[in-house]
Amino acid sequence: MKKIIEEVNKVKKELYLQESAKYIDEVGYKNFKISQLAQRLETSVGTIYNLFNSKEELYLEYLILKLQLFSQRLKEQETLHAKDNLKLYLHCKYEIFIQIDKNNPMTSDPYFFHKLDIANHPIVLEIYEFLQRQFKHLDNSKKESYLHEAILFKKFSDGFIESYLLKKYDTHNIVENAMDHFFKGIAL
């Protein structure tokens, strides 16, 4: 019987997470309130806290879910062309945060990637593996890991989000700008 209850709670937690993700996508982390989420889900605050120990734990689960969707999209659209795959990574990343195709680009939670302090989580490692594959295809002369380049590329692309938050700018060519700046450098 205990195993059945554990499985039911697992499914229940997943369903609550899926619905919570829709709410968090709409309001962002700063405006995210467990009491409002409970109202939306037509449940009690206690029920949510029985499934997630804290608001932070629920948010972390949300971030992992979003990264899983991000990684799945990368896998589905990966090609044999490394630079195209790096552009895909940037496009997916910036589309999530800055919404390139909208007239008024804003984000529901602009620090999405910055808040991820789960560097050893399998989903984060999966994304780094994707980036490492691309750098290996670009320069197959090395025999060691391409993790260093993957981390630099990720952090560099995070910088575009942070600079946008400090001073809004036209994001129409953000993918091309990020690629040019990373591979050619910044000429002053």
Side-chain angles (χ1 to χ4, degrees):
M1 185 68 162
K2 185 178 178 180
K3 184 153 176 79
I4 292 172
I5 292 171
E6 286 174 5
E7 286 299 313
V8 167
N9 283 337
K10 185 177 174 182
V11 170
K12 189 176 180 181
K13 184 175 183 175
E14 183 61 32
L15 291 172
Y16 273 74
L17 178 60
Q18 295 291 329
E19 289 302 311
S20 298
K22 294 174 188 173
Y23 169 69
I24 296 169
D25 283 345
E26 287 175 23
V27 301
Y29 183 75
K30 285 167 74 173
N31 298 319
F32 164 43
K33 302 207 181 332
I34 294 290
S35 59
Q36 289 176 345
L37 175 62
Q39 281 181 326
R40 184 176 180 146
L41 298 177
E42 298 178 3
T43 192
S44 69
V45 170
T47 299
I48 294 172
Y49 281 120
N50 283 335
L51 297 170
F52 305 95
N53 293 324
S54 66
K55 176 182 175 179
E56 291 73 24
E57 180 183 316
L58 173 55
Y59 190 66
L60 181 63
E61 292 291 328
Y62 161 81
L63 292 175
I64 292 167
L65 173 67
K66 295 303 263 188
L67 280 176
Q68 288 169 335
L69 296 172
F70 181 81
S71 181
Q72 179 181 348
R73 188 168 174 197
L74 293 177
K75 284 180 197 169
E76 289 171 355
Q77 296 181 23
E78 187 173 1
T79 69
L80 297 175
H81 306 284
K83 280 203 174 178
D84 289 343
N85 292 331
L86 291 174
K87 287 179 184 178
L88 168 66
Y89 170 87
L90 293 173
H91 180 78
C92 292
K93 183 174 188 173
Y94 295 149
E95 180 181 73
I96 290 169
F97 305 105
I98 301 180
Q99 302 296 323
I100 296 170
D101 56 345
K102 305 242 171 147
N103 290 334
N104 186 14
M106 277 307 299
T107 61
S108 63
D109 189 4
Y111 290 109
F112 181 79
F113 274 95
H114 298 287
K115 287 180 180 171
L116 280 179
D117 194 14
I118 52 172
N120 292 322
H121 190 280
I123 192 62
V124 174
L125 298 177
E126 195 174 292
I127 292 170
Y128 277 134
E129 287 169 8
F130 171 87
L131 291 172
Q132 287 179 82
R133 272 195 312 279
Q134 310 321 313
F135 285 105
K136 182 176 183 177
H137 288 302
L138 289 173
D139 175 20
N140 201 6
S141 63
K142 291 183 175 181
K143 299 213 187 297
E144 69 231 33
S145 165
Y146 288 81
L147 182 59
H148 180 71
E149 289 84 353
I151 292 170
L152 287 174
F153 189 76
K154 182 216 173 282
K155 294 295 185 180
F156 184 82
S157 61
D158 289 348
F160 272 74
I161 295 169
E162 190 170 344
S163 67
Y164 174 83
L165 294 172
L166 293 173
K167 185 168 181 7
K168 307 285 186 265
Y169 58 85
D170 180 11
T171 59
H172 183 69
N173 294 318
I174 192 169
V175 170
E176 292 79 14
N177 290 341
M179 290 291 287
D180 284 347
H181 282 82
F182 187 81
F183 285 103
K184 297 176 183 172
I186 301 172
L188 299 176

Short mmCIF file of all heavy atoms in Angstrom, two decimals, residues 103-157:
data_model
loop_
_atom_site.label_atom_id
_atom_site.label_comp_id
_atom_site.label_asym_id
_atom_site.label_seq_id
_atom_site.Cartn_x
_atom_site.Cartn_y
_atom_site.Cartn_z
N ASN A 103 7.07 42.75 -30.22
CA ASN A 103 7.42 44.17 -30.35
C ASN A 103 7.99 44.73 -29.05
O ASN A 103 8.86 45.60 -29.07
CB ASN A 103 6.20 44.99 -30.76
CG ASN A 103 5.80 44.71 -32.18
OD1 ASN A 103 6.62 44.31 -32.99
ND2 ASN A 103 4.52 44.92 -32.48
N ASN A 104 7.51 44.26 -27.94
CA ASN A 104 7.96 44.77 -26.65
C ASN A 104 8.61 43.63 -25.88
O ASN A 104 7.98 43.00 -25.05
CB ASN A 104 6.78 45.35 -25.87
CG ASN A 104 7.23 46.01 -24.59
OD1 ASN A 104 8.41 46.28 -24.40
ND2 ASN A 104 6.28 46.29 -23.71
N PRO A 105 9.87 43.34 -26.16
CA PRO A 105 10.50 42.18 -25.51
C PRO A 105 10.64 42.35 -24.00
O PRO A 105 11.18 43.33 -23.53
CB PRO A 105 11.88 42.10 -26.18
CG PRO A 105 12.11 43.43 -26.76
CD PRO A 105 10.79 44.06 -27.02
N MET A 106 10.09 41.41 -23.29
CA MET A 106 10.22 41.38 -21.83
C MET A 106 10.29 39.92 -21.42
O MET A 106 10.07 39.03 -22.22
CB MET A 106 9.02 42.03 -21.15
CG MET A 106 9.11 43.54 -21.07
SD MET A 106 10.61 44.20 -20.34
CE MET A 106 10.57 43.53 -18.70
N THR A 107 10.58 39.72 -20.19
CA THR A 107 10.68 38.35 -19.69
C THR A 107 9.84 38.21 -18.44
O THR A 107 9.67 39.15 -17.69
CB THR A 107 12.13 38.01 -19.32
OG1 THR A 107 12.53 38.90 -18.30
CG2 THR A 107 13.05 38.16 -20.50
N SER A 108 9.34 37.02 -18.21
CA SER A 108 8.62 36.78 -16.96
C SER A 108 9.63 36.51 -15.85
O SER A 108 9.38 36.82 -14.71
CB SER A 108 7.65 35.61 -17.10
OG SER A 108 8.36 34.43 -17.39
N ASP A 109 10.76 35.95 -16.18
CA ASP A 109 11.82 35.77 -15.20
C ASP A 109 13.16 35.84 -15.91
O ASP A 109 13.69 34.83 -16.34
CB ASP A 109 11.68 34.45 -14.46
CG ASP A 109 12.64 34.37 -13.29
OD1 ASP A 109 13.35 35.36 -13.02
OD2 ASP A 109 12.71 33.33 -12.64
N PRO A 110 13.73 37.03 -16.02
CA PRO A 110 14.94 37.21 -16.80
C PRO A 110 16.18 36.52 -16.23
O PRO A 110 17.16 36.35 -16.92
CB PRO A 110 15.12 38.72 -16.81
CG PRO A 110 14.37 39.20 -15.63
CD PRO A 110 13.23 38.26 -15.45
N TYR A 111 16.14 36.14 -14.97
CA TYR A 111 17.31 35.51 -14.37
C TYR A 111 17.22 33.99 -14.38
O TYR A 111 17.90 33.33 -13.62
CB TYR A 111 17.52 36.02 -12.94
CG TYR A 111 17.98 37.44 -12.92
CD1 TYR A 111 17.12 38.44 -12.50
CD2 TYR A 111 19.25 37.79 -13.35
CE1 TYR A 111 17.54 39.76 -12.49
CE2 TYR A 111 19.66 39.10 -13.34
CZ TYR A 111 18.81 40.08 -12.90
OH TYR A 111 19.22 41.38 -12.90
N PHE A 112 16.38 33.45 -15.24
CA PHE A 112 16.15 32.01 -15.29
C PHE A 112 17.45 31.20 -15.23
O PHE A 112 17.65 30.39 -14.35
CB PHE A 112 15.39 31.71 -16.58
CG PHE A 112 15.05 30.28 -16.78
CD1 PHE A 112 13.99 29.71 -16.12
CD2 PHE A 112 15.79 29.50 -17.64
CE1 PHE A 112 13.66 28.40 -16.32
CE2 PHE A 112 15.46 28.19 -17.86
CZ PHE A 112 14.39 27.63 -17.19
N PHE A 113 18.36 31.44 -16.17
CA PHE A 113 19.60 30.68 -16.19
C PHE A 113 20.53 31.10 -15.06
O PHE A 113 21.28 30.30 -14.53
CB PHE A 113 20.34 30.84 -17.53
CG PHE A 113 19.88 29.87 -18.56
CD1 PHE A 113 18.92 30.22 -19.47
CD2 PHE A 113 20.41 28.60 -18.63
CE1 PHE A 113 18.49 29.33 -20.44
CE2 PHE A 113 19.98 27.70 -19.59
CZ PHE A 113 19.02 28.07 -20.50
N HIS A 114 20.49 32.37 -14.68
CA HIS A 114 21.38 32.85 -13.63
C HIS A 114 21.04 32.23 -12.28
O HIS A 114 21.92 32.04 -11.45
CB HIS A 114 21.29 34.38 -13.52
CG HIS A 114 21.73 35.08 -14.75
ND1 HIS A 114 23.04 35.17 -15.14
CD2 HIS A 114 21.01 35.70 -15.71
CE1 HIS A 114 23.11 35.83 -16.27
NE2 HIS A 114 21.90 36.16 -16.64
N LYS A 115 19.78 31.93 -12.05
CA LYS A 115 19.36 31.37 -10.76
C LYS A 115 19.72 29.90 -10.63
O LYS A 115 19.65 29.34 -9.56
CB LYS A 115 17.86 31.53 -10.59
CG LYS A 115 17.45 32.95 -10.31
CD LYS A 115 15.97 33.03 -10.15
CE LYS A 115 15.55 34.45 -9.88
NZ LYS A 115 14.11 34.63 -9.92
N LEU A 116 20.08 29.29 -11.73
CA LEU A 116 20.35 27.87 -11.68
C LEU A 116 21.70 27.59 -11.02
O LEU A 116 22.73 27.72 -11.64
CB LEU A 116 20.35 27.27 -13.08
CG LEU A 116 18.97 26.99 -13.62
CD1 LEU A 116 19.09 26.42 -15.01
CD2 LEU A 116 18.21 26.06 -12.74
N ASP A 117 21.64 27.26 -9.79
CA ASP A 117 22.85 26.89 -9.08
C ASP A 117 22.83 25.38 -8.88
O ASP A 117 23.00 24.88 -7.78
CB ASP A 117 22.92 27.63 -7.75
CG ASP A 117 24.30 27.54 -7.13
OD1 ASP A 117 25.25 27.16 -7.84
OD2 ASP A 117 24.43 27.84 -5.93
N ILE A 118 22.57 24.68 -9.96
CA ILE A 118 22.49 23.22 -9.92
C ILE A 118 23.44 22.66 -10.98
O ILE A 118 23.07 21.84 -11.79
CB ILE A 118 21.04 22.73 -10.15
CG1 ILE A 118 20.43 23.36 -11.40
CG2 ILE A 118 20.17 22.99 -8.95
CD1 ILE A 118 19.09 22.78 -11.78
N ALA A 119 24.65 23.13 -10.94
CA ALA A 119 25.63 22.82 -11.98
C ALA A 119 25.83 21.33 -12.20
O ALA A 119 26.19 20.92 -13.30
CB ALA A 119 26.96 23.48 -11.64
N ASN A 120 25.59 20.52 -11.21
CA ASN A 120 25.81 19.08 -11.37
C ASN A 120 24.52 18.31 -11.63
O ASN A 120 24.54 17.08 -11.63
CB ASN A 120 26.52 18.52 -10.14
CG ASN A 120 27.92 19.04 -10.03
OD1 ASN A 120 28.62 19.20 -11.04
ND2 ASN A 120 28.36 19.34 -8.83
N HIS A 121 23.43 19.01 -11.84
CA HIS A 121 22.17 18.32 -12.14
C HIS A 121 22.29 17.70 -13.53
O HIS A 121 22.84 18.31 -14.45
CB HIS A 121 21.00 19.31 -12.08
CG HIS A 121 19.69 18.63 -12.16
ND1 HIS A 121 19.14 18.21 -13.34
CD2 HIS A 121 18.81 18.26 -11.18
CE1 HIS A 121 17.98 17.61 -13.11
NE2 HIS A 121 17.76 17.65 -11.81
N PRO A 122 21.77 16.50 -13.71
CA PRO A 122 21.89 15.83 -15.02
C PRO A 122 21.40 16.66 -16.20
O PRO A 122 21.98 16.61 -17.28
CB PRO A 122 21.04 14.57 -14.84
CG PRO A 122 21.04 14.30 -13.38
CD PRO A 122 21.12 15.65 -12.72
N ILE A 123 20.35 17.45 -16.03
CA ILE A 123 19.83 18.22 -17.16
C ILE A 123 20.79 19.33 -17.56
O ILE A 123 20.97 19.63 -18.74
CB ILE A 123 18.41 18.77 -16.87
CG1 ILE A 123 17.78 19.32 -18.17
CG2 ILE A 123 18.43 19.84 -15.80
CD1 ILE A 123 17.59 18.30 -19.25
N VAL A 124 21.46 19.93 -16.58
CA VAL A 124 22.45 20.97 -16.89
C VAL A 124 23.65 20.33 -17.59
O VAL A 124 24.16 20.86 -18.59
CB VAL A 124 22.88 21.72 -15.61
CG1 VAL A 124 24.01 22.70 -15.90
CG2 VAL A 124 21.69 22.45 -14.99
N LEU A 125 24.07 19.18 -17.11
CA LEU A 125 25.18 18.48 -17.74
C LEU A 125 24.82 18.06 -19.17
O LEU A 125 25.67 18.10 -20.06
CB LEU A 125 25.57 17.26 -16.90
CG LEU A 125 26.06 17.58 -15.48
CD1 LEU A 125 26.35 16.29 -14.71
CD2 LEU A 125 27.28 18.47 -15.51
N GLU A 126 23.56 17.71 -19.39
CA GLU A 126 23.09 17.34 -20.73
C GLU A 126 23.21 18.53 -21.70
O GLU A 126 23.62 18.37 -22.84
CB GLU A 126 21.63 16.91 -20.61
CG GLU A 126 21.08 16.17 -21.78
CD GLU A 126 19.68 15.67 -21.48
OE1 GLU A 126 19.52 14.77 -20.63
OE2 GLU A 126 18.74 16.19 -22.11
N ILE A 127 22.88 19.71 -21.22
CA ILE A 127 22.99 20.91 -22.05
C ILE A 127 24.46 21.23 -22.33
O ILE A 127 24.82 21.57 -23.46
CB ILE A 127 22.24 22.09 -21.40
CG1 ILE A 127 20.73 21.81 -21.44
CG2 ILE A 127 22.57 23.41 -22.11
CD1 ILE A 127 19.89 22.75 -20.63
N TYR A 128 25.30 21.07 -21.32
CA TYR A 128 26.73 21.28 -21.54
C TYR A 128 27.29 20.26 -22.55
O TYR A 128 28.15 20.59 -23.35
CB TYR A 128 27.52 21.21 -20.23
CG TYR A 128 27.51 22.51 -19.46
CD1 TYR A 128 27.27 22.53 -18.09
CD2 TYR A 128 27.77 23.73 -20.08
CE1 TYR A 128 27.27 23.72 -17.38
CE2 TYR A 128 27.76 24.92 -19.39
CZ TYR A 128 27.51 24.91 -18.03
OH TYR A 128 27.52 26.09 -17.33
N GLU A 129 26.79 19.03 -22.49
CA GLU A 129 27.23 18.01 -23.46
C GLU A 129 26.85 18.42 -24.88
O GLU A 129 27.63 18.22 -25.80
CB GLU A 129 26.65 16.65 -23.10
CG GLU A 129 27.29 16.03 -21.88
CD GLU A 129 26.55 14.80 -21.37
OE1 GLU A 129 25.61 14.32 -22.04
OE2 GLU A 129 26.91 14.33 -20.28
N PHE A 130 25.66 18.98 -25.04
CA PHE A 130 25.24 19.48 -26.35
C PHE A 130 26.23 20.54 -26.84
O PHE A 130 26.70 20.48 -27.99
CB PHE A 130 23.82 20.08 -26.25
CG PHE A 130 23.39 20.82 -27.49
CD1 PHE A 130 22.79 20.14 -28.54
CD2 PHE A 130 23.58 22.19 -27.61
CE1 PHE A 130 22.39 20.81 -29.68
CE2 PHE A 130 23.18 22.87 -28.75
CZ PHE A 130 22.59 22.19 -29.79
N LEU A 131 26.55 21.49 -25.98
CA LEU A 131 27.49 22.56 -26.37
C LEU A 131 28.88 21.99 -26.65
O LEU A 131 29.54 22.40 -27.61
CB LEU A 131 27.54 23.64 -25.29
CG LEU A 131 26.28 24.48 -25.13
CD1 LEU A 131 26.38 25.39 -23.91
CD2 LEU A 131 25.99 25.29 -26.39
N GLN A 132 29.33 21.06 -25.82
CA GLN A 132 30.65 20.46 -26.04
C GLN A 132 30.74 19.77 -27.40
O GLN A 132 31.75 19.88 -28.09
CB GLN A 132 30.96 19.43 -24.93
CG GLN A 132 31.28 20.06 -23.59
CD GLN A 132 31.54 18.99 -22.55
OE1 GLN A 132 32.66 18.48 -22.49
NE2 GLN A 132 30.53 18.65 -21.76
N ARG A 133 29.67 19.07 -27.79
CA ARG A 133 29.65 18.41 -29.10
C ARG A 133 29.86 19.42 -30.22
O ARG A 133 30.58 19.17 -31.19
CB ARG A 133 28.32 17.69 -29.33
CG ARG A 133 28.25 16.30 -28.82
CD ARG A 133 27.07 15.52 -29.36
NE ARG A 133 25.78 16.17 -29.32
CZ ARG A 133 24.99 16.24 -28.24
NH1 ARG A 133 25.39 15.69 -27.10
NH2 ARG A 133 23.81 16.83 -28.30
N GLN A 134 29.24 20.58 -30.07
CA GLN A 134 29.35 21.59 -31.12
C GLN A 134 30.77 22.12 -31.23
O GLN A 134 31.31 22.27 -32.33
CB GLN A 134 28.36 22.75 -30.86
CG GLN A 134 26.93 22.33 -30.58
CD GLN A 134 26.41 21.17 -31.40
OE1 GLN A 134 26.58 21.13 -32.63
NE2 GLN A 134 25.78 20.20 -30.74
N PHE A 135 31.39 22.38 -30.08
CA PHE A 135 32.76 22.89 -30.11
C PHE A 135 33.75 21.82 -30.59
O PHE A 135 34.73 22.13 -31.25
CB PHE A 135 33.16 23.47 -28.75
CG PHE A 135 32.52 24.80 -28.51
CD1 PHE A 135 31.46 24.94 -27.63
CD2 PHE A 135 32.95 25.93 -29.20
CE1 PHE A 135 30.85 26.16 -27.44
CE2 PHE A 135 32.35 27.16 -29.02
CZ PHE A 135 31.29 27.28 -28.14
N LYS A 136 33.46 20.57 -30.29
CA LYS A 136 34.30 19.49 -30.80
C LYS A 136 34.21 19.42 -32.33
O LYS A 136 35.23 19.25 -33.01
CB LYS A 136 33.88 18.15 -30.19
CG LYS A 136 34.76 17.00 -30.64
CD LYS A 136 34.39 15.71 -29.96
CE LYS A 136 35.35 14.63 -30.41
NZ LYS A 136 35.10 13.36 -29.76
N HIS A 137 33.01 19.60 -32.88
CA HIS A 137 32.84 19.59 -34.34
C HIS A 137 33.55 20.78 -34.98
O HIS A 137 34.05 20.66 -36.10
CB HIS A 137 31.36 19.61 -34.73
CG HIS A 137 30.65 18.32 -34.47
ND1 HIS A 137 31.04 17.12 -35.01
CD2 HIS A 137 29.57 18.05 -33.69
CE1 HIS A 137 30.24 16.16 -34.59
NE2 HIS A 137 29.34 16.69 -33.79
N LEU A 138 33.59 21.90 -34.28
CA LEU A 138 34.26 23.09 -34.82
C LEU A 138 35.78 22.96 -34.80
O LEU A 138 36.46 23.48 -35.67
CB LEU A 138 33.85 24.35 -34.04
CG LEU A 138 32.42 24.82 -34.26
CD1 LEU A 138 32.10 25.97 -33.31
CD2 LEU A 138 32.20 25.25 -35.70
N ASP A 139 36.29 22.26 -33.78
CA ASP A 139 37.74 22.12 -33.62
C ASP A 139 38.03 20.75 -33.04
O ASP A 139 38.13 20.59 -31.83
CB ASP A 139 38.29 23.22 -32.70
CG ASP A 139 39.78 23.05 -32.41
OD1 ASP A 139 40.47 22.36 -33.17
OD2 ASP A 139 40.24 23.62 -31.41
N ASN A 140 38.16 19.78 -33.89
CA ASN A 140 38.35 18.40 -33.45
C ASN A 140 39.82 18.08 -33.18
O ASN A 140 40.20 16.93 -33.05
CB ASN A 140 37.77 17.44 -34.48
CG ASN A 140 37.48 16.08 -33.89
OD1 ASN A 140 37.61 15.88 -32.68
ND2 ASN A 140 37.09 15.15 -34.73
N SER A 141 40.69 19.10 -33.12
CA SER A 141 42.12 18.85 -32.92
C SER A 141 42.46 18.53 -31.46
O SER A 141 43.47 17.92 -31.19
CB SER A 141 42.93 20.05 -33.38
OG SER A 141 42.61 21.19 -32.59
N LYS A 142 41.62 18.96 -30.55
CA LYS A 142 41.88 18.70 -29.13
C LYS A 142 41.53 17.26 -28.79
O LYS A 142 40.67 16.66 -29.39
CB LYS A 142 41.04 19.62 -28.26
CG LYS A 142 41.41 21.06 -28.29
CD LYS A 142 40.52 21.78 -27.31
CE LYS A 142 40.89 23.22 -27.16
NZ LYS A 142 40.03 23.89 -26.20
N LYS A 143 42.18 16.77 -27.77
CA LYS A 143 41.84 15.43 -27.31
C LYS A 143 41.12 15.48 -25.97
O LYS A 143 40.60 14.50 -25.51
CB LYS A 143 43.11 14.60 -27.21
CG LYS A 143 43.81 14.44 -28.54
CD LYS A 143 44.48 13.10 -28.62
CE LYS A 143 45.34 12.93 -29.81
NZ LYS A 143 44.73 12.98 -31.08
N GLU A 144 41.08 16.66 -25.35
CA GLU A 144 40.44 16.80 -24.04
C GLU A 144 38.99 17.24 -24.18
O GLU A 144 38.49 17.44 -25.27
CB GLU A 144 41.21 17.79 -23.18
CG GLU A 144 41.08 19.21 -23.70
CD GLU A 144 42.39 19.91 -23.87
OE1 GLU A 144 43.39 19.28 -24.20
OE2 GLU A 144 42.39 21.12 -23.67
N SER A 145 38.36 17.43 -23.07
CA SER A 145 36.97 17.87 -23.02
C SER A 145 36.83 19.29 -23.56
O SER A 145 37.74 20.09 -23.49
CB SER A 145 36.51 17.84 -21.56
OG SER A 145 35.33 18.57 -21.40
N TYR A 146 35.67 19.58 -24.09
CA TYR A 146 35.35 20.92 -24.57
C TYR A 146 34.44 21.64 -23.57
O TYR A 146 33.76 22.59 -23.92
CB TYR A 146 34.68 20.84 -25.95
CG TYR A 146 35.68 20.46 -27.02
CD1 TYR A 146 36.05 19.13 -27.21
CD2 TYR A 146 36.25 21.43 -27.82
CE1 TYR A 146 36.97 18.78 -28.19
CE2 TYR A 146 37.17 21.09 -28.81
CZ TYR A 146 37.52 19.77 -28.98
OH TYR A 146 38.43 19.44 -29.95
N LEU A 147 34.47 21.18 -22.33
CA LEU A 147 33.63 21.76 -21.29
C LEU A 147 33.97 23.23 -21.07
O LEU A 147 33.07 24.05 -20.87
CB LEU A 147 33.75 20.97 -19.99
CG LEU A 147 32.88 21.46 -18.84
CD1 LEU A 147 31.40 21.41 -19.23
CD2 LEU A 147 33.12 20.61 -17.59
N HIS A 148 35.24 23.56 -21.10
CA HIS A 148 35.66 24.95 -20.89
C HIS A 148 34.97 25.87 -21.90
O HIS A 148 34.39 26.90 -21.53
CB HIS A 148 37.20 25.05 -21.00
CG HIS A 148 37.73 26.42 -20.81
ND1 HIS A 148 37.74 27.04 -19.58
CD2 HIS A 148 38.26 27.30 -21.68
CE1 HIS A 148 38.26 28.25 -19.71
NE2 HIS A 148 38.58 28.44 -20.98
N GLU A 149 34.99 25.52 -23.17
CA GLU A 149 34.36 26.32 -24.21
C GLU A 149 32.85 26.37 -24.02
O GLU A 149 32.22 27.42 -24.22
CB GLU A 149 34.70 25.77 -25.60
CG GLU A 149 36.13 25.98 -26.02
CD GLU A 149 37.09 24.90 -25.50
OE1 GLU A 149 36.68 24.04 -24.69
OE2 GLU A 149 38.26 24.93 -25.91
N ALA A 150 32.26 25.24 -23.63
CA ALA A 150 30.82 25.19 -23.40
C ALA A 150 30.41 26.14 -22.29
O ALA A 150 29.43 26.89 -22.42
CB ALA A 150 30.39 23.77 -23.07
N ILE A 151 31.15 26.13 -21.19
CA ILE A 151 30.85 27.03 -20.07
C ILE A 151 31.03 28.48 -20.48
O ILE A 151 30.18 29.33 -20.18
CB ILE A 151 31.72 26.68 -18.84
CG1 ILE A 151 31.31 25.32 -18.28
CG2 ILE A 151 31.62 27.76 -17.77
CD1 ILE A 151 32.25 24.76 -17.23
N LEU A 152 32.11 28.78 -21.19
CA LEU A 152 32.34 30.16 -21.64
C LEU A 152 31.20 30.63 -22.55
O LEU A 152 30.72 31.76 -22.43
CB LEU A 152 33.67 30.28 -22.36
CG LEU A 152 34.92 30.21 -21.49
CD1 LEU A 152 36.17 30.19 -22.37
CD2 LEU A 152 34.96 31.36 -20.52
N PHE A 153 30.76 29.78 -23.47
CA PHE A 153 29.69 30.14 -24.38
C PHE A 153 28.39 30.39 -23.63
O PHE A 153 27.67 31.36 -23.88
CB PHE A 153 29.51 29.06 -25.44
CG PHE A 153 28.58 29.44 -26.55
CD1 PHE A 153 28.99 30.31 -27.55
CD2 PHE A 153 27.29 28.94 -26.60
CE1 PHE A 153 28.14 30.68 -28.59
CE2 PHE A 153 26.42 29.29 -27.62
CZ PHE A 153 26.85 30.16 -28.62
N LYS A 154 28.08 29.51 -22.68
CA LYS A 154 26.86 29.67 -21.88
C LYS A 154 26.91 30.98 -21.10
O LYS A 154 25.96 31.76 -21.12
CB LYS A 154 26.67 28.51 -20.93
CG LYS A 154 25.40 28.62 -20.10
CD LYS A 154 25.60 28.07 -18.71
CE LYS A 154 24.42 28.31 -17.81
NZ LYS A 154 24.31 29.67 -17.30
N LYS A 155 28.02 31.23 -20.42
CA LYS A 155 28.15 32.45 -19.61
C LYS A 155 28.14 33.69 -20.49
O LYS A 155 27.57 34.72 -20.13
CB LYS A 155 29.42 32.40 -18.75
CG LYS A 155 29.40 31.33 -17.69
CD LYS A 155 28.32 31.60 -16.67
CE LYS A 155 28.38 30.60 -15.53
NZ LYS A 155 27.35 30.84 -14.53
N PHE A 156 28.79 33.62 -21.64
CA PHE A 156 28.80 34.74 -22.57
C PHE A 156 27.37 35.06 -23.02
O PHE A 156 26.96 36.22 -23.03
CB PHE A 156 29.68 34.40 -23.78
CG PHE A 156 29.84 35.53 -24.75
CD1 PHE A 156 30.77 36.53 -24.53
CD2 PHE A 156 29.05 35.59 -25.89
CE1 PHE A 156 30.92 37.57 -25.43
CE2 PHE A 156 29.19 36.62 -26.79
CZ PHE A 156 30.13 37.62 -26.56
N SER A 157 26.62 34.03 -23.36
CA SER A 157 25.24 34.26 -23.80
C SER A 157 24.36 34.75 -22.66
O SER A 157 23.44 35.53 -22.87
CB SER A 157 24.66 33.00 -24.45
OG SER A 157 24.63 31.92 -23.55
#
